[in-house]
Amino acid sequence: MTRTGRWIGRHLVLFAGFLVLLYLFTPIFVVVLMSFNDPKSRLSYEFDGFTLRNWQDPCQPFGLCDAVSTSLRIGLLATVLATALGTLMAFAMVRHRYRGRAATSLFIFLPMASPEIVLGSSLLALFVSAGFGGVLGFWTILIAHVMFCLSFVVVTVKARLAGMDTRLEQAAMDLYANEWQTFWRITFPLVFPGILAAALLSFSLSFDDFIITNLNAGRTVTFPMYVWGSAQRDIPPQINVIGTAMFMLAVLLVLGGELARRRRSR
Amino acid sequence: MTALSQLGGPPAAVTEKPGRRFTAYLLLLPGGLWLALFFVVPLVSLLSASLYDPSGTVETGYAVTGHWQNYVDALQDYARPFGRSMWYALLTTAFCLLLGYPLAYAIAFKSGRWKNLMLALVIAPFFTSFLVRTLSWKLLLGDNGVVVDTLKWLHILGPDGRLLATTTAVVTGLTYNFLPFMVLPLYASLEKIDHRLIEAGGDLFAGPVTTFRTVTLPLSMPGVVAGTLLTFIPAAGDYINAELLGTPQQRMIGNDIQNLFAAGAHPTAAALSVTLMATIVVLVLFYVRRVGTEDLL
């Protein structure tokens, strides 16, 4: 192959990669654009004109902000619970040798490999057969969210723990730190970015979940359920405001984390 | 297992100390109990719900009668959406592989100092709501939208042609939604490849295509297997795309399971759900064995 051919070949992959990224981002551009939309009629879902009104009054559509607040509360609680339980499991799996380690891995992996509709419908079957069919709502959603976030937390924290240099802890012990001091001064700060990433992942999974939630929500309405409901009738532009705001928040968090990492490593 | 847990990096050295085994079980207990109670027990409930006598209702309760007929009825009535789900999931997986491989390859080998940024861009869509993004496809593919107008101008689409409410729209949405699940494991396994192996291919006078076919692709197989599984499984169970971008003609099995549960027809819905899970397990085992990587799961 000639040199020019190789040059094209090399950059062709990069070019294709950029096109795919563009495909991934097109809907996000639309979400941001639509958050400034001034629809002509309630049923219009096309860009009719520019306005800042949606951003000034995001709570205007009835029930939207209640749904967002329900999602935020469930997301925060589910994140705290799943991150705590999952981190403990990850420590056991990486740092301890016990009977059934392979079985534990499979057990953690299975919920991630099950379709959401199966996870959701089996939880519903359990709740109904246990007599909780009438009280579906906040707590049943929370139980479901902790369940499916747990595996993702374990996998994320495990990755961080497995990549850690254990000699740092041995050095601390050699310098007469006891196990407790070693854990809080060495191990925990080193694992913390992994735990934080797991918590972020949990929150976004929980905030975004629809299929499992929809089956176990009773009359409680989360943000995705609100969007689903409005998609059947009229789509208020304010849901795009919430979508854009969440996106900006996440971008800021990720950028902040990256900056902090760069400053520390300098 | 290795294929999917490879995102977790190599297993670390295990510091073993007498008496620590007890601690391990203690650490595993709370999370393990949660998963047992809300993942394993529910699957058993689902199985038993699928055998309920369908003459009961949610309010009056059901008789567990070993009603296998539920499965026969469910499969007779819902064979078409079931087959359609499998077909759409297969198409989605193929498209995700086709689009995801170049992107993962570009990030792993060609991105230089932009690597972290490009990875962040792959994950970024996760932070805007899944449903809101799918709705924006409805706008993009709409009858007077940019995509349809462009395709009409290029004469790829006839003057009456439309994209929304077609199979194309549903598969486009599914591919879009599950693409990151393909890219990330692919990237993880491509990134681990020793670059000298690829250079050796060049030194031995193999062209880029031969080198790719005989070195890079086989070495990235764990990523391909993990990625295809992580795309196929959720796509087969999804109903959001079919509902928002399609019509009842594009109905998938998830739509039916959801609608049946909402209508209170629990035994049929449960039977369909169990069938979906069983089909996926069988397909996955068959696939992993066929690809010749039995140690992957």
Coordinates of all heavy atoms in Angstrom, one line a residue, chain B residues 117-194:
Chain B
L117 N -11.4 12.8 26.4 CA -12.5 13.6 26.0 C -13.5 12.7 25.1 O -14.7 12.8 25.3 CB -12.0 14.8 25.2 CG -13.1 15.7 24.7 CD1 -13.7 16.5 25.8 CD2 -12.6 16.6 23.6
M118 N -12.9 11.9 24.2 CA -13.8 11.1 23.3 C -14.5 10.1 24.1 O -15.7 9.8 23.9 CB -12.9 10.5 22.2 CG -12.6 11.5 21.1 SD -11.7 10.7 19.7 CE -13.0 10.0 18.7
L119 N -13.8 9.5 25.1 CA -14.5 8.5 26.0 C -15.7 9.2 26.7 O -16.8 8.7 26.8 CB -13.6 7.9 27.0 CG -12.9 6.7 26.6 CD1 -11.9 6.2 27.7 CD2 -13.9 5.6 26.3
A120 N -15.4 10.4 27.2 CA -16.4 11.2 28.0 C -17.6 11.4 27.0 O -18.8 11.4 27.4 CB -15.9 12.4 28.5
L121 N -17.3 11.7 25.8 CA -18.4 12.0 24.8 C -19.3 10.8 24.5 O -20.5 10.9 24.3 CB -17.8 12.5 23.5 CG -17.2 13.9 23.5 CD1 -16.6 14.3 22.1 CD2 -18.2 15.0 24.0
V122 N -18.6 9.6 24.6 CA -19.4 8.4 24.4 C -20.4 8.2 25.6 O -21.5 7.8 25.4 CB -18.5 7.2 24.3 CG1 -19.3 5.9 24.2 CG2 -17.7 7.3 23.0
I123 N -20.0 8.5 26.8 CA -20.8 8.3 28.0 C -21.8 9.5 28.1 O -22.9 9.3 28.7 CB -20.0 8.2 29.2 CG1 -18.9 7.1 29.0 CG2 -20.8 7.8 30.4 CD1 -17.8 7.1 30.1
A124 N -21.5 10.6 27.6 CA -22.3 11.8 27.8 C -23.8 11.7 27.6 O -24.6 12.1 28.4 CB -21.8 13.0 27.0
P125 N -24.2 11.0 26.5 CA -25.7 10.9 26.2 C -26.4 10.3 27.4 O -27.6 10.6 27.6 CB -25.8 10.0 25.0 CG -24.5 10.2 24.3 CD -23.5 10.4 25.4
F126 N -25.7 9.4 28.2 CA -26.4 8.8 29.3 C -27.0 9.8 30.3 O -27.8 9.5 31.1 CB -25.4 8.0 30.2 CG -25.1 6.6 29.6 CD1 -23.8 6.2 29.4 CD2 -26.1 5.8 29.2 CE1 -23.6 4.9 28.9 CE2 -25.9 4.6 28.6 CZ -24.6 4.1 28.5
F127 N -26.4 11.1 30.3 CA -26.8 12.0 31.3 C -28.0 12.8 30.8 O -28.5 13.7 31.6 CB -25.6 13.0 31.6 CG -24.5 12.2 32.2 CD1 -23.3 12.2 31.6 CD2 -24.7 11.6 33.4 CE1 -22.2 11.5 32.2 CE2 -23.7 10.9 34.0 CZ -22.4 10.9 33.4
T128 N -28.5 12.7 29.6 CA -29.7 13.3 29.2 C -30.7 12.1 29.2 O -30.4 11.1 28.8 CB -29.7 13.9 27.8 OG1 -28.4 14.4 27.6 CG2 -30.7 14.9 27.6
S129 N -31.9 12.4 29.7 CA -32.9 11.3 29.9 C -33.1 10.5 28.6 O -33.3 11.1 27.5 CB -34.2 11.9 30.4 OG -35.2 11.0 30.2
F130 N -33.1 9.2 28.8 CA -33.3 8.2 27.7 C -34.6 8.5 26.9 O -34.6 8.6 25.7 CB -33.4 6.9 28.4 CG -33.6 5.6 27.6 CD1 -32.5 4.8 27.3 CD2 -34.9 5.3 27.1 CE1 -32.7 3.7 26.5 CE2 -35.0 4.1 26.3 CZ -33.9 3.3 26.0
L131 N -35.6 8.8 27.7 CA -36.9 9.1 27.0 C -36.9 10.4 26.2 O -37.5 10.5 25.1 CB -38.0 9.1 28.0 CG -38.5 7.7 28.4 CD1 -39.3 7.8 29.7 CD2 -39.4 7.2 27.3
V132 N -36.3 11.4 26.8 CA -36.3 12.7 26.2 C -35.5 12.6 24.9 O -35.9 13.2 23.8 CB -35.7 13.8 27.1 CG1 -35.6 15.1 26.4 CG2 -36.5 13.9 28.4
R133 N -34.4 11.8 24.9 CA -33.6 11.7 23.7 C -34.3 10.9 22.6 O -34.2 11.2 21.5 CB -32.3 10.9 24.1 CG -31.2 11.8 24.6 CD -29.9 11.0 24.9 NE -30.1 10.2 26.0 CZ -29.7 8.9 26.0 NH1 -29.2 8.3 25.0 NH2 -29.9 8.2 27.2
T134 N -35.1 9.9 23.1 CA -35.8 9.1 22.1 C -36.9 9.9 21.5 O -37.2 9.8 20.3 CB -36.4 7.8 22.8 OG1 -35.4 7.2 23.5 CG2 -37.0 6.9 21.8
L135 N -37.5 10.8 22.3 CA -38.5 11.7 21.7 C -37.9 12.7 20.7 O -38.6 13.0 19.7 CB -39.1 12.6 22.9 CG -40.3 11.9 23.6 CD1 -40.8 12.9 24.7 CD2 -41.4 11.6 22.6
S136 N -36.6 13.0 20.9 CA -36.0 13.9 19.9 C -35.8 13.2 18.6 O -35.7 13.9 17.5 CB -34.8 14.7 20.4 OG -33.8 13.8 20.7
W137 N -35.7 11.9 18.6 CA -35.6 11.1 17.3 C -36.9 11.2 16.6 O -37.0 11.2 15.4 CB -35.2 9.7 17.6 CG -33.8 9.5 17.6 CD1 -33.0 9.1 18.8 CD2 -32.8 9.6 16.6 NE1 -31.7 9.1 18.5 CE2 -31.5 9.4 17.1 CE3 -32.9 10.0 15.2 CZ2 -30.4 9.4 16.4 CZ3 -31.8 10.0 14.5 CH2 -30.5 9.8 15.0
K138 N -38.0 11.3 17.4 CA -39.3 11.4 16.8 C -39.4 12.7 16.0 O -39.9 12.7 14.9 CB -40.3 11.5 17.9 CG -41.8 11.2 17.5 CD -42.7 11.1 18.7 CE -44.1 11.0 18.3 NZ -44.9 10.5 19.4
L139 N -38.8 13.7 16.5 CA -38.7 15.0 15.8 C -37.8 14.9 14.6 O -38.2 15.4 13.5 CB -38.2 16.1 16.8 CG -38.2 17.5 16.2 CD1 -39.5 18.1 16.2 CD2 -37.3 18.4 17.1
L140 N -36.6 14.4 14.8 CA -35.6 14.3 13.7 C -36.1 13.5 12.5 O -35.9 13.8 11.4 CB -34.3 13.6 14.2 CG -33.4 14.5 15.0 CD1 -32.4 13.6 15.7 CD2 -32.7 15.4 14.0
L141 N -36.8 12.3 12.8 CA -37.3 11.5 11.8 C -38.7 11.8 11.3 O -39.3 11.1 10.4 CB -37.3 10.0 12.2 CG -35.9 9.4 12.7 CD1 -36.1 8.1 13.3 CD2 -34.9 9.4 11.5
G142 N -39.3 12.9 11.9 CA -40.7 13.2 11.6 C -40.9 13.5 10.1 O -39.9 13.7 9.3
D143 N -42.1 13.6 9.7 CA -42.5 13.7 8.2 C -41.9 14.9 7.5 O -41.6 14.9 6.4 CB -44.0 13.6 8.1 CG -44.5 12.2 8.4 OD1 -43.6 11.2 8.3 OD2 -45.6 12.0 8.7
N144 N -41.8 16.0 8.3 CA -41.2 17.2 7.6 C -39.8 17.5 8.2 O -39.4 18.6 8.2 CB -42.1 18.4 7.8 CG -43.4 18.1 7.1 OD1 -43.5 17.7 5.9 ND2 -44.6 18.3 7.8
G145 N -39.2 16.5 8.8 CA -37.9 16.7 9.5 C -36.8 16.8 8.5 O -36.9 16.5 7.3
V146 N -35.6 17.1 9.0 CA -34.4 17.2 8.2 C -34.1 16.0 7.5 O -33.7 16.0 6.3 CB -33.2 17.6 9.1 CG1 -32.2 18.5 8.4 CG2 -33.6 18.1 10.4
V147 N -34.1 14.8 8.2 CA -33.7 13.6 7.6 C -34.5 13.2 6.4 O -34.0 12.9 5.3 CB -33.6 12.5 8.7 CG1 -33.1 11.2 8.1 CG2 -32.8 12.9 9.9
V148 N -35.8 13.2 6.6 CA -36.8 12.9 5.5 C -36.6 13.8 4.3 O -36.5 13.3 3.2 CB -38.2 12.9 6.1 CG1 -39.2 12.7 4.9 CG2 -38.4 11.7 7.0
D149 N -36.5 15.1 4.6 CA -36.3 16.1 3.5 C -35.1 15.8 2.7 O -35.1 15.8 1.5 CB -36.3 17.5 4.0 CG -37.7 17.9 4.4 OD1 -38.7 17.3 4.0 OD2 -37.9 19.0 5.1
T150 N -34.0 15.5 3.4 CA -32.7 15.2 2.7 C -32.8 14.0 1.9 O -32.4 13.9 0.7 CB -31.6 15.0 3.8 OG1 -31.7 16.1 4.7 CG2 -30.2 15.0 3.1
L151 N -33.4 12.9 2.5 CA -33.5 11.7 1.7 C -34.4 11.8 0.5 O -34.2 11.2 -0.5 CB -34.0 10.5 2.7 CG -33.1 10.1 3.7 CD1 -33.7 9.0 4.6 CD2 -31.8 9.6 3.1
K152 N -35.4 12.6 0.6 CA -36.3 12.9 -0.5 C -35.6 13.6 -1.6 O -35.7 13.3 -2.8 CB -37.6 13.7 -0.1 CG -38.6 12.8 0.6 CD -39.9 13.6 0.9 CE -40.9 12.8 1.6 NZ -41.9 13.6 2.2
W153 N -34.8 14.6 -1.2 CA -34.0 15.4 -2.1 C -33.0 14.5 -2.9 O -32.8 14.7 -4.1 CB -33.3 16.5 -1.3 CG -32.5 17.5 -2.2 CD1 -33.0 18.4 -3.1 CD2 -31.1 17.6 -2.3 NE1 -32.0 19.1 -3.7 CE2 -30.8 18.6 -3.2 CE3 -30.0 16.9 -1.7 CZ2 -29.5 18.9 -3.5 CZ3 -28.7 17.2 -2.0 CH2 -28.5 18.3 -2.9
L154 N -32.5 13.5 -2.2 CA -31.5 12.6 -2.8 C -32.2 11.5 -3.5 O -31.6 10.6 -4.1 CB -30.6 12.0 -1.7 CG -29.6 12.9 -1.0 CD1 -29.0 12.2 0.2 CD2 -28.5 13.3 -2.0
H155 N -33.6 11.5 -3.5 CA -34.4 10.5 -4.2 C -34.2 9.1 -3.6 O -34.4 8.1 -4.3 CB -34.1 10.5 -5.7 CG -34.7 11.7 -6.3 ND1 -36.0 11.9 -6.6 CD2 -34.1 12.8 -6.8 CE1 -36.2 13.1 -7.2 NE2 -35.0 13.7 -7.3
I156 N -33.7 9.0 -2.4 CA -33.6 7.7 -1.7 C -35.0 7.3 -1.2 O -35.3 6.2 -1.2 CB -32.6 7.8 -0.6 CG1 -31.1 8.0 -1.1 CG2 -32.6 6.5 0.2 CD1 -30.1 8.2 -0.1
L157 N -35.7 8.4 -0.9 CA -37.0 8.1 -0.3 C -38.0 8.8 -1.3 O -37.8 9.9 -1.8 CB -37.2 8.9 1.0 CG -38.1 8.3 2.1 CD1 -37.6 6.9 2.5 CD2 -38.1 9.2 3.3
G158 N -39.1 8.1 -1.7 CA -40.1 8.6 -2.6 C -40.8 9.8 -2.0 O -40.7 10.1 -0.8
P159 N -41.6 10.5 -2.8 CA -42.3 11.7 -2.4 C -43.3 11.5 -1.2 O -43.5 12.3 -0.4 CB -43.0 12.2 -3.6 CG -43.0 11.1 -4.6 CD -41.8 10.3 -4.3
D160 N -43.8 10.2 -1.1 CA -44.7 9.9 0.0 C -44.0 9.2 1.1 O -44.6 8.7 2.1 CB -45.9 9.1 -0.5 CG -46.6 9.8 -1.6 OD1 -46.7 11.0 -1.6 OD2 -47.1 9.0 -2.6
G161 N -42.7 8.9 0.9 CA -42.0 8.1 1.9 C -41.9 8.7 3.3 O -42.0 10.0 3.4
R162 N -41.9 7.9 4.3 CA -41.7 8.4 5.6 C -40.8 7.5 6.4 O -40.6 6.3 6.0 CB -43.1 8.6 6.3 CG -43.9 7.4 6.4 CD -45.3 7.7 6.9 NE -45.2 8.6 8.1 CZ -46.0 8.6 9.1 NH1 -47.1 7.8 9.1 NH2 -45.8 9.4 10.1
L163 N -40.2 8.0 7.5 CA -39.4 7.2 8.3 C -40.0 6.9 9.6 O -40.0 5.8 10.1 CB -38.1 8.0 8.6 CG -37.1 8.0 7.4 CD1 -35.9 8.9 7.8 CD2 -36.6 6.6 7.1
L164 N -40.7 7.9 10.2 CA -41.3 7.8 11.5 C -42.4 6.7 11.3 O -43.0 6.6 10.3 CB -42.0 9.1 12.0 CG -42.4 9.1 13.4 CD1 -41.1 9.0 14.3 CD2 -43.1 10.4 13.7
A165 N -42.6 5.9 12.4 CA -43.6 4.8 12.3 C -43.2 3.7 11.4 O -44.1 3.0 10.8 CB -45.0 5.4 11.9
T166 N -41.9 3.5 11.2 CA -41.5 2.3 10.4 C -40.5 1.5 11.2 O -40.0 2.0 12.2 CB -40.8 2.8 9.1 OG1 -39.6 3.5 9.5 CG2 -41.6 3.7 8.2
T167 N -40.1 0.4 10.6 CA -39.1 -0.5 11.3 C -37.8 0.3 11.3 O -37.1 0.2 12.3 CB -38.9 -1.8 10.4 OG1 -40.2 -2.4 10.4 CG2 -37.9 -2.7 11.1
T168 N -37.5 1.0 10.2 CA -36.2 1.8 10.2 C -36.1 2.7 11.4 O -35.1 2.8 12.1 CB -36.2 2.7 8.9 OG1 -36.6 1.8 7.8 CG2 -34.8 3.2 8.7
A169 N -37.2 3.4 11.7 CA -37.2 4.4 12.9 C -36.9 3.6 14.2 O -36.1 4.0 15.0 CB -38.5 5.1 12.9
V170 N -37.6 2.5 14.4 CA -37.4 1.7 15.6 C -36.0 1.2 15.8 O -35.4 1.4 16.8 CB -38.5 0.6 15.7 CG1 -38.2 -0.2 17.0 CG2 -39.9 1.1 15.6
V171 N -35.5 0.7 14.7 CA -34.1 0.1 14.7 C -33.1 1.3 14.9 O -32.1 1.1 15.6 CB -33.8 -0.8 13.5 CG1 -32.4 -1.3 13.6 CG2 -34.7 -2.0 13.5
T172 N -33.3 2.4 14.2 CA -32.5 3.6 14.4 C -32.4 4.0 15.9 O -31.3 4.2 16.5 CB -32.9 4.8 13.6 OG1 -33.1 4.4 12.2 CG2 -32.0 5.9 13.7
G173 N -33.6 4.1 16.5 CA -33.7 4.4 17.9 C -33.0 3.4 18.8 O -32.2 3.8 19.7
L174 N -33.2 2.2 18.6 CA -32.6 1.1 19.4 C -31.1 1.2 19.2 O -30.3 1.1 20.2 CB -33.1 -0.3 18.9 CG -34.5 -0.7 19.4 CD1 -34.9 -1.9 18.6 CD2 -34.5 -1.0 20.9
T175 N -30.6 1.3 18.0 CA -29.2 1.3 17.8 C -28.6 2.5 18.5 O -27.5 2.4 19.2 CB -28.9 1.5 16.2 OG1 -29.5 0.4 15.6 CG2 -27.4 1.4 16.0
Y176 N -29.2 3.7 18.4 CA -28.7 4.9 19.0 C -28.7 4.7 20.6 O -27.7 5.0 21.2 CB -29.7 6.0 18.7 CG -29.4 7.2 19.6 CD1 -28.3 8.0 19.4 CD2 -30.2 7.4 20.7 CE1 -28.0 9.0 20.3 CE2 -30.0 8.5 21.6 CZ -28.9 9.3 21.4 OH -28.6 10.3 22.2
N177 N -29.7 4.1 21.1 CA -29.8 4.0 22.6 C -28.8 3.0 23.2 O -28.3 3.2 24.3 CB -31.2 3.5 23.0 CG -32.1 4.7 23.1 OD1 -31.7 5.7 23.6 ND2 -33.3 4.6 22.6
F178 N -28.4 1.9 22.4 CA -27.5 0.9 23.0 C -26.1 1.0 22.5 O -25.3 0.2 22.9 CB -28.2 -0.5 22.8 CG -29.5 -0.6 23.6 CD1 -30.7 -0.7 22.9 CD2 -29.5 -0.4 24.9 CE1 -31.9 -0.7 23.6 CE2 -30.8 -0.4 25.6 CZ -31.9 -0.6 24.9
L179 N -25.8 1.9 21.6 CA -24.5 2.0 21.0 C -23.4 2.2 22.1 O -22.3 1.5 22.0 CB -24.4 3.2 20.0 CG -23.2 3.3 19.2 CD1 -22.8 2.1 18.4 CD2 -23.3 4.5 18.2
P180 N -23.5 3.0 23.1 CA -22.5 3.1 24.1 C -22.1 1.8 24.8 O -21.0 1.5 25.1 CB -23.0 4.1 25.1 CG -24.0 4.9 24.4 CD -24.6 4.0 23.4
F181 N -23.1 0.9 24.9 CA -22.9 -0.4 25.5 C -22.0 -1.3 24.6 O -21.4 -2.3 25.1 CB -24.2 -1.2 25.8 CG -25.1 -0.5 26.8 CD1 -26.1 0.3 26.5 CD2 -24.8 -0.6 28.2 CE1 -26.9 1.0 27.4 CE2 -25.5 0.0 29.1 CZ -26.6 0.8 28.8
M182 N -22.0 -1.0 23.3 CA -21.1 -1.7 22.4 C -19.7 -1.1 22.4 O -18.7 -1.8 22.5 CB -21.7 -1.7 21.0 CG -20.9 -2.3 19.9 SD -20.8 -4.1 20.2 CE -22.3 -4.6 19.3
V183 N -19.7 0.2 22.4 CA -18.4 0.9 22.3 C -17.5 0.7 23.5 O -16.3 0.4 23.3 CB -18.6 2.4 22.1 CG1 -17.3 3.2 22.0 CG2 -19.4 2.7 20.8
L184 N -18.0 0.8 24.7 CA -17.2 0.7 25.9 C -16.5 -0.6 26.0 O -15.2 -0.6 26.2 CB -18.0 1.1 27.1 CG -18.5 2.5 27.2 CD1 -19.3 2.8 28.4 CD2 -17.3 3.5 27.1
P185 N -17.1 -1.8 26.0 CA -16.4 -3.1 26.1 C -15.4 -3.2 24.9 O -14.3 -3.8 25.1 CB -17.4 -4.2 26.1 CG -18.7 -3.5 25.9 CD -18.6 -2.1 25.9
L186 N -15.8 -2.8 23.7 CA -14.9 -2.9 22.5 C -13.6 -2.1 22.8 O -12.5 -2.6 22.6 CB -15.6 -2.4 21.3 CG -16.5 -3.3 20.5 CD1 -17.1 -2.6 19.3 CD2 -15.7 -4.5 20.0
Y187 N -13.8 -0.9 23.3 CA -12.7 0.0 23.6 C -11.8 -0.7 24.6 O -10.6 -0.7 24.5 CB -13.2 1.3 24.1 CG -12.1 2.1 24.8 CD1 -11.1 2.8 24.1 CD2 -12.0 2.2 26.2 CE1 -10.1 3.4 24.7 CE2 -11.0 2.8 26.8 CZ -10.0 3.5 26.1 OH -9.0 4.1 26.7
A188 N -12.4 -1.2 25.7 CA -11.6 -1.8 26.8 C -10.8 -3.0 26.2 O -9.6 -3.1 26.6 CB -12.6 -2.4 27.9
S189 N -11.3 -3.8 25.3 CA -10.4 -4.9 24.8 C -9.5 -4.5 23.8 O -8.4 -5.0 23.7 CB -11.3 -6.1 24.4 OG -11.9 -5.8 23.2
L190 N -9.8 -3.5 22.9 CA -8.9 -3.0 21.9 C -7.7 -2.3 22.6 O -6.5 -2.4 22.2 CB -9.5 -2.0 21.0 CG -10.4 -2.5 19.9 CD1 -11.2 -1.4 19.2 CD2 -9.5 -3.2 18.9
E191 N -8.0 -1.6 23.7 CA -7.0 -0.8 24.4 C -5.9 -1.7 25.0 O -4.7 -1.3 25.1 CB -7.6 0.0 25.5 CG -7.2 1.4 25.6 CD -6.4 1.7 26.8 OE1 -6.6 1.0 27.8 OE2 -5.5 2.6 26.8
K192 N -6.3 -2.9 25.3 CA -5.3 -3.9 26.0 C -4.4 -4.5 25.0 O -3.4 -5.1 25.4 CB -6.1 -5.0 26.7 CG -6.5 -4.6 28.1 CD -7.1 -5.8 28.8 CE -8.0 -5.4 29.9 NZ -9.1 -6.3 30.1
I193 N -4.7 -4.4 23.7 CA -3.9 -5.1 22.7 C -2.5 -4.5 22.7 O -2.3 -3.3 22.6 CB -4.5 -5.0 21.3 CG1 -5.8 -5.8 21.3 CG2 -3.6 -5.6 20.2 CD1 -6.6 -5.7 20.0
D194 N -1.5 -5.4 22.7 CA -0.1 -5.0 22.6 C 0.2 -4.5 21.2 O 0.1 -5.2 20.3 CB 0.8 -6.2 22.9 CG 2.3 -5.8 23.1 OD1 2.6 -4.7 22.6 OD2 3.0 -6.6 23.7

